[in-house]
Amino acid sequence: MKKLITITLVVASNFIGFSQDHFSGISTSSRVGILNGMINPAEYSNLSKKFEVNLYGVSFNTSNNKIGFSDITSGNNLQDLIFKDNEAVNFQFDGQIIGPSVAIKLLKWGFAVTSKANLKYELVNIDTNIGNAISDNNLASALTLLNTNSNQRLIGSSYGEIGFSVARPIIEKEKYSISAGITLKMLFPGSYSNIGLNGLNGKISQVGGNAFLTTDQPAQLNIAYSGSLANNFSNFSDYTNTIFGGLNGIATDFGITYKLKDGPSKYKIKAGLAIRNLGSMTFKDNNNSSTNYSLNIPNSNPLNLNAFSGANNLGDVENILNSNGYLTKIDGQKDFKVNLPSLFSIYTDFKIVPKVYITGYLQQKLNKDSENDQITSQNIVSVTPRVNLGFFETYVPISNNQISGTTIGFGFRLGGFYLGSNSIVSSLTSNGKQADLYTGFRWAFL
């Protein structure tokens, strides 16, 4: 467990903290392509060219509510910073890799076949006292009371997807049009781990340099793992060993767009609405396990939190708790289902003057992050002014997300190549708790 917290600090120190708004700015460009279709499948009927081929696209995002850019550069102890004060720790690392993909506009129809890999690692509502005690076996006081009603989660997941999309205008008038689209995604779960501790009430006592945990009443504990994360989570590479597994899930995206036209192929206003990731996937592997327990640690037999220092995987954590008689099994299963982060999004792109646009974007998650079978997501709102000169485009996304707050980024497109960040400006000019980087190349023609 201590090693898992170390991973968090390594990721934070390398990436500072990113949001979950992948390809922000470029994905709502007036140069419509595969990236637009991934946030709203109806956009495939609005493709700027008849053919587009995506060669690669990479976006790495994390976010946290504790560590800022100035903290990284000042040389402060990150462990002390991430577990300071009493504010619960929330941290996310979120990566997307868009693989070979193709989109075609044929007559009034739009079609696409896309591939994507997803990688996530998250801490949700972690009590700072528990974090301090496990990470360095040391507390500021001899006795710390715990009263946590939320579900504290440590989650790792990787999965791939292949999408099949179709879109078409459903109303086509001289001055406006309305299009609809749908994407069916085949899901390939790779690996998963979750430890969720709900309703932890008790105390941590420091005796002789060791921290001991006891509970006042039983807490609910879920331990689930599959794939490479069942064997080891002590290295960051454990989260990338298995991304594409076997076909074991289906999800759906659907959306609509409205265009107030400005000529045959341009618009004055374009608005879109989409619901994405409606679906789930089942993890099946020889080393699979998902078990719900009642956790009870009596005063007569306290848990030495230093016992987790050598744990390499959640099975080790489970064995340590079981061997000391702290766990009572409620139910369990070998194969288990995990829900995707379902999202509702709405956006509007206005043409201010020729070549100059501004986009407003809102993303709202539809599921609770506290559920043990849920991959998490974030609520986001952003405004992006842009200049599109055709071959060259540049934009400045200004966003706010629920974990790290307000960010300012910058990006550009040169032909089919694009490079951007949702928060590079705010990270370099203030103590921003977020940064991100994405890049890619796609080829559009005819």
Side-chain angles (χ1 to χ4, degrees):
M1 187 69 68
K2 183 176 181 178
K3 295 179 181 179
L4 186 57
I5 292 174
T6 301
I7 293 172
T8 300
L9 299 177
V10 170
V11 172
S13 63
N14 281 284
F15 294 100
I16 307 168
F18 303 91
S19 93
Q20 205 172 15
D21 191 7
H22 290 289
F23 305 102
S24 178
I26 192 69
S27 60
T28 53
S29 170
S30 55
R31 186 274 196 205
V32 179
I34 287 174
L35 293 178
N36 302 70
M38 285 189 165
I39 68 166
N40 185 346
E43 293 285 11
Y44 288 120
S45 68
N46 301 321
L47 291 172
S48 296
K49 300 289 186 179
K50 290 184 178 181
F51 296 92
E52 178 169 291
V53 177
N54 182 81
L55 299 182
Y56 75 93
V58 180
S59 175
F60 290 106
N61 303 347
T62 79
S63 63
N64 82 94
N65 63 333
K66 295 283 187 172
I67 301 173
F69 184 81
S70 63
D71 298 323
I72 305 296
T73 57
S74 66
N76 291 326
N77 187 303
L78 299 184
Q79 185 169 288
D80 292 342
L81 292 172
I82 201 168
F83 294 123
K84 69 179 179 181
D85 59 53
N86 292 319
E87 183 184 6
V89 177
N90 285 282
F91 176 96
Q92 291 187 354
F93 173 86
D94 186 2
Q96 280 191 6
I97 302 172
I98 302 176
S101 305
V102 60
I104 301 172
K105 188 175 182 180
L106 183 62
L107 299 177
K108 292 186 177 182
W109 293 85
F111 302 94
V113 179
T114 57
S115 63
K116 184 166 63 175
N118 301 274
L119 173 68
K120 291 175 176 286
Y121 168 59
E122 301 149 271
L123 275 67
V124 179
N125 291 329
I126 302 299
D127 189 299
T128 54
N129 296 303
I130 289 289
N132 271 321
I134 293 177
S135 62
D136 63 8
N137 207 38
N138 190 30
L139 292 171
S141 59
L143 179 65
T144 302
L145 301 180
L146 304 173
N147 186 11
T148 307
N149 296 319
S150 62
N151 189 21
Q152 303 179 62
R153 300 181 64 199
L154 285 77
I155 320 147
S157 63
S158 62
Y159 62 97
E161 60 184 68
I162 296 178
F164 301 90
S165 306
V166 61
R168 191 185 193 282
I170 55 177
I171 298 176
E172 187 79 54
K173 301 292 184 180
E174 181 182 355
K175 294 185 177 181
Y176 70 92
S177 67
I178 298 175
S179 299
I182 186 169
T183 297
L184 179 66
K185 296 191 284 193
M186 317 303 289
L187 304 177
F188 300 83
S191 58
Y192 185 78
S193 68
N194 178 74
I195 181 166
L197 182 58
N198 192 14
L200 179 62
N201 295 290
K203 60 181 178 293
I204 300 176
S205 304
Q206 188 166 285
V207 180
N210 289 319
F212 293 88
L213 172 66
T214 59
T215 59
D216 296 334
Q217 61 189 41
Q220 287 77 50
L221 177 68
N222 172 264
I223 296 179
Y225 43 83
S226 177
S228 61
L229 292 181
N231 302 320
N232 206 311
F233 57 48
S234 60
N235 299 300
F236 186 70
S237 61
D238 299 325
Y239 291 80
T240 60
N241 285 338
T242 307
I243 297 180
F244 265 86
L247 174 60
N248 273 306
I250 296 176
T252 303
D253 301 348
F254 62 89
I256 60 173
T257 62
Y258 166 84
K259 290 195 302 182
L260 180 62
K261 296 181 181 180
D262 186 20
S265 61
K266 300 183 181 298
Y267 60 82
K268 296 178 180 177
I269 299 174
K270 183 177 68 174
L273 180 152
I275 297 179
R276 290 177 282 153
N277 294 333
L278 294 178
S280 62
M281 53 191 169
T282 300
F283 283 86
K284 295 182 178 182
D285 201 86
N286 293 331
N287 55 6
N288 261 33
S289 177
S290 178
T291 311
N292 293 310
Y293 294 102
S294 175
L295 173 68
N296 184 34
I297 307 173
N299 292 325
S300 59
N301 184 25
L303 169 62
N304 187 344
L305 294 175
N306 193 46
F308 295 125
S309 61
N312 290 317
N313 55 58
L314 295 187
D316 290 346
V317 175
E318 197 170 19
N319 290 334
I320 291 169
L321 296 174
N322 258 322
S323 64
N324 286 278
Y326 300 135
L327 298 180
T328 302
K329 183 177 178 179
I330 299 174
D331 55 51
Q333 52 192 326
K334 179 176 174 57
D335 300 333
F336 55 91
K337 184 180 293 185
V338 174
N339 295 313
L340 263 61
S342 299
L343 300 169
F344 168 82
S345 59
I346 187 170
Y347 57 92
T348 304
D349 191 34
F350 296 91
K351 183 171 76 171
I352 307 301
V353 295
K355 312 297 185 182
V356 179
Y357 298 79
I358 187 167
T359 305
Y361 177 85
L362 173 74
Q363 174 178 295
Q364 176 69 44
K365 59 186 176 184
L366 301 179
N367 308 102
K368 294 181 178 180
D369 292 345
S370 59
E371 300 298 327
N372 286 312
D373 59 354
Q374 179 65 54
I375 297 176
T376 69
S377 57
Q378 290 194 53
N379 297 328
I380 298 168
V381 60
S382 67
V383 176
T384 304
R386 78 179 72 251
V387 176
N388 187 347
L389 302 179
F391 189 77
F392 176 78
E393 180 178 5
T394 186
Y395 45 89
V396 178
I398 304 168
S399 305
N400 183 277
N401 75 77
Q402 67 186 87
I403 290 182
S404 53
T406 300
T407 61
I408 303 173
F410 174 79
F412 71 91
R413 175 182 60 83
L414 187 64
F417 173 78
Y418 57 88
L419 175 67
S421 167
N422 193 42
S423 53
I424 187 171
V425 176
S426 53
S427 293
L428 295 176
T429 59
S430 65
N431 191 28
K433 297 179 176 64
Q434 179 176 318
D436 65 284
L437 181 67
Y438 62 80
T439 185
F441 184 85
R442 63 263 174 91
W443 178 40
F445 54 97
L446 296 185

